[in-house]
């Protein structure tokens, strides 16, 4: 298991979350100013400097439940609200989209290009907010600094760690089913044609060498796939053409997206076991979450602001039906943590929150609710 996987998992899932929220905000005709505020608030919280610094420290991945709790709080870092069924669907779409991208990565190193595609799109969401752009650019620089020097073997270990995280998730997504890249059992269909990884050759030739390293024989064979050599490698710089399309916004063209649970009773039982059975790492994960989201408050509308509810389903009836029919063992319940009961932790959180507070000049007439209340703690 790689200790450098968490930043890539968090940023790519966060990017998919923002794609989905942006699509639903447009589908529900939320006024432009409100929609921009929601996106800006969530992105500001997601790329909080202290949180990013702690996120990039080498550490093991946490469970699906622990990460789901973080995204639940993140999605509610503004004036928008999601109920349980919509939050479940949001998390299902996020995880299945990124799982598909990890599976299709030509090279393990291309996981970085997938991440850059997400961050490029996030920057486009906030192009009119220079201060938030600076936060995202700083994360870009951290990614380049941490991952540019890693070997191919280290990237392969990161990819393997991600695949282990996703291996039991087989949720059917309508977009994938319609595009015939996912089967009815929730498993993805991997292509046998298209560009080969950068730096490799088209399959069809076997070379044999002697003990001196000299080529002594060649054998050709036919393949069922139609392979091509990529024209160029994607850019790993702050700006540039990533070439790879994985990680770009598949919701940019409005399409209805549905999710369906897939799996036998055996697989459902395994999910139930994961959710119910005592986890020896549970205490450490809860300590992590207490420090992680102790300062992340749910945004409450104030002044002239009015909150609103976002529905990830086409109608309220569909949302209610999904809430009633989703298996109990597959519903991610929100974990409530009282992180301030321990006097020592209370003192620690007070210190971290104090570091996060930056006094700002409030323009005259600005509503109190305009202040960003969602602050992400350090680990």
């Amino acid at each position: 298991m790689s200790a450098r996987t968490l930043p890539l998992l968090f940023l790519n899932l966060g990017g998919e979350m923002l794609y989905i929220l942006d699509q639903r905000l447009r589908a529900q005709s939320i006024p432009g100013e409100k929609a921009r505020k929601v996106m800006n608030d969530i992105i500001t919280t997601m790329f909080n400097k202290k949180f990013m610094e702690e996120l990039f420290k080498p550490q093991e991945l946490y469970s699906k439940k622990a990460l789901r709790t973080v995204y639940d709080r993140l999605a509610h870092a503004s004036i928008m609200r999601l109920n349980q069924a919509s939050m479940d669907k949001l998390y299902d779409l996020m995880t299945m989209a990124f799982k598909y991208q990890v599976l299709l990565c030509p090279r393990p190193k291309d996981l970085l290009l997938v991440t850059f595609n997400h961050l490029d799109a996030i920057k486009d969401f906030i192009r009119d907010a220079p201060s938030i752009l600076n936060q995202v650019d700083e994360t870009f620089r951290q990614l380049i600094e941490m991952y540019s020097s890693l070997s191919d073997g280290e990237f392969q270990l990161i990819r393997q760690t991600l695949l282990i995280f996703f291996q039991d998730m087989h949720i059917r997504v309508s977009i994938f089913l319609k595009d015939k890249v996912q089967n009815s059992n929730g498993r993805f269909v991997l292509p046998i044609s298209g560009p080969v990884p950068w730096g490799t050759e088209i399959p069809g030739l076997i070379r044999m060498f002697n003990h001196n390293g000299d080529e002594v024989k060649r054998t050709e064979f036919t393949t069922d796939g139609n392979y091509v050599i990529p024209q160029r490698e994607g850019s790993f710089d702050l700006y540039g053409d990533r070439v790879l399309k994985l990680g770009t916004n598949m919701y940019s063209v409005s399409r209805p997206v549905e999710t369906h649970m897939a799996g036998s009773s055996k697989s459902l039982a395994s999910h139930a076991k994961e959710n119910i059975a005592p986890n020896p790492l549970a205490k450490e994960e809860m300590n992590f979450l207490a420090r992680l989201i102790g300062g992340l408050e749910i945004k409450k509308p104030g002044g002239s602001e009015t909150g609103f509810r976002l529905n990830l389903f086409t109608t309220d009836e569909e949302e209610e039906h999904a809430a009633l029919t989703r298996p109990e063992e597959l519903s991610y319940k929100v974990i409530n943590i009282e992180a301030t009961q321990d006097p020592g932790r209370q003192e620690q959180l007070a210190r971290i929150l104090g570091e996060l507070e930056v006094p700002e000049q409030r323009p005259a007439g600005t509503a109190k609710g305009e202040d960003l209340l969602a602050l992400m703690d350090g680990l």
Side-chain angles (χ1 to χ4, degrees):
M1 299 284 281
S2 173
R4 298 187 181 276
T5 308
L6 188 58
L8 298 183
L9 179 63
F10 176 81
L11 291 171
N12 284 290
L13 287 179
E16 288 298 322
M17 180 180 77
L18 291 166
Y19 291 165
I20 298 161
L21 293 179
D22 172 67
Q23 191 270 338
R24 293 311 300 164
L25 288 166
R26 287 185 281 110
Q28 287 188 213
S29 302
I30 301 299
E33 188 175 339
K34 271 192 176 182
R36 280 190 297 273
K37 176 171 179 53
V38 168
M39 298 295 282
N40 288 356
D41 284 353
I42 293 175
I43 295 170
T44 299
T45 305
M46 180 176 168
F47 289 92
N48 174 275
K49 184 179 179 182
K50 288 285 183 182
F51 174 63
M52 283 292 124
E53 287 174 358
E54 297 296 339
L55 185 75
F56 275 81
K57 291 180 180 178
Q59 57 197 292
E60 296 298 325
L61 283 188
Y62 296 91
S63 70
K64 299 177 182 68
K65 260 195 167 183
L67 279 175
R68 159 62 199 264
T69 303
V70 174
Y71 287 110
D72 190 280
R73 298 302 298 270
L74 190 58
H76 292 92
S78 188
I79 56 175
M80 178 190 69
R81 295 291 171 266
L82 297 170
N83 71 14
Q84 182 71 31
S86 282
M87 191 66 217
D88 284 339
K89 180 176 179 179
L90 174 63
Y91 192 69
D92 288 345
L93 289 171
M94 291 160 50
T95 51
M96 292 307 290
F98 185 43
K99 178 181 180 179
Y100 177 68
Q101 293 155 16
V102 174
L103 284 169
L104 263 67
C105 257
R107 305 174 299 174
K109 184 181 179 181
D110 290 334
L111 284 169
L112 206 51
L113 293 178
V114 175
T115 309
F116 287 175
N117 275 336
H118 280 113
L119 295 190
D120 287 340
I122 290 172
K123 288 173 66 174
D124 194 49
F125 288 141
I126 52 169
R127 56 185 176 273
D128 298 325
S131 62
I132 313 177
L133 273 171
N134 288 337
Q135 287 180 257
V136 181
D137 279 340
E138 180 57 34
T139 300
F140 248 119
R141 284 185 276 270
Q142 286 178 282
L143 283 168
I144 293 170
E145 181 180 347
M146 172 178 281
Y147 292 99
S148 61
S149 61
L150 295 189
S151 67
D152 290 339
E154 288 172 303
F155 274 111
Q156 171 60 20
L157 188 58
I158 289 173
R159 183 175 183 270
Q160 186 179 20
T161 305
L162 287 169
L163 290 174
I164 290 170
F165 180 83
F166 289 124
Q167 66 180 350
D168 293 326
M169 304 183 74
H170 306 295
I171 299 157
R172 291 174 294 171
V173 178
S174 60
I175 284 182
F176 295 140
L177 292 168
K178 288 173 185 174
D179 291 344
K180 300 189 185 306
V181 298
Q182 189 180 32
N183 290 326
S184 58
N185 62 3
R187 297 181 184 275
F188 288 113
V189 179
L190 301 183
I192 58 169
S193 297
V196 296
W198 175 259
T200 63
E201 298 178 6
I202 292 177
L205 178 64
I206 299 172
R207 297 185 181 92
M208 281 162 274
F209 300 83
N210 62 19
H211 63 282
N212 294 321
D214 300 321
E215 184 179 327
V216 295
K217 185 179 179 182
R218 289 190 174 197
T219 303
E220 294 186 357
F221 63 93
T222 58
T223 62
D224 293 331
N226 182 23
Y227 298 100
V228 295
I229 294 177
Q231 294 182 344
R232 61 189 181 281
E233 185 180 23
S235 171
F236 289 89
D237 297 325
L238 184 60
Y239 304 100
D241 183 2
R242 313 299 176 195
V243 180
L244 192 70
K245 298 305 178 186
L246 295 172
T248 55
N249 190 352
M250 66 177 179
Y251 307 99
S252 54
V253 177
S254 184
R255 302 167 70 181
V257 187
E258 301 301 330
T259 57
H260 307 279
M261 305 312 301
S264 63
S265 58
K266 182 179 178 181
S267 67
L268 293 180
S270 69
H271 277 279
K273 184 177 179 182
E274 177 193 345
N275 285 353
I276 297 169
N279 182 348
L281 297 177
K283 183 178 178 182
E284 287 306 312
E285 288 191 350
M286 292 306 99
N287 288 340
F288 156 74
L289 281 175
R291 295 192 299 272
L292 186 69
I293 62 178
L296 179 58
E297 300 177 10
I298 291 181
K299 181 79 172 182
K300 296 180 179 178
S304 60
E305 284 183 336
T306 55
F308 64 93
R309 184 174 70 85
L310 192 70
N311 189 347
L312 268 287
F313 296 82
T314 308
T315 64
D316 289 345
E317 289 74 17
E318 285 184 23
E319 186 177 46
E320 291 168 6
H321 178 72
L324 293 172
T325 57
R326 187 179 180 91
E328 177 68 20
E329 62 269 23
L330 297 183
S331 187
Y332 298 91
K333 298 300 182 185
V334 178
I335 305 169
N336 294 316
I337 301 172
E338 182 50 68
T340 58
Q341 288 179 345
D342 183 349
R345 182 163 296 149
Q346 186 175 16
E347 183 180 340
Q348 180 190 16
L349 289 174
R351 176 182 59 77
I352 295 173
L353 285 172
E355 293 173 357
L356 289 175
E357 289 176 0
V358 180
E360 287 189 39
Q361 294 290 333
R362 184 185 297 169
T366 300
K368 183 179 178 182
E370 291 296 324
D371 295 335
L372 184 61
L373 301 178
L375 297 174
M376 189 74 84
D377 251 0
L379 287 173

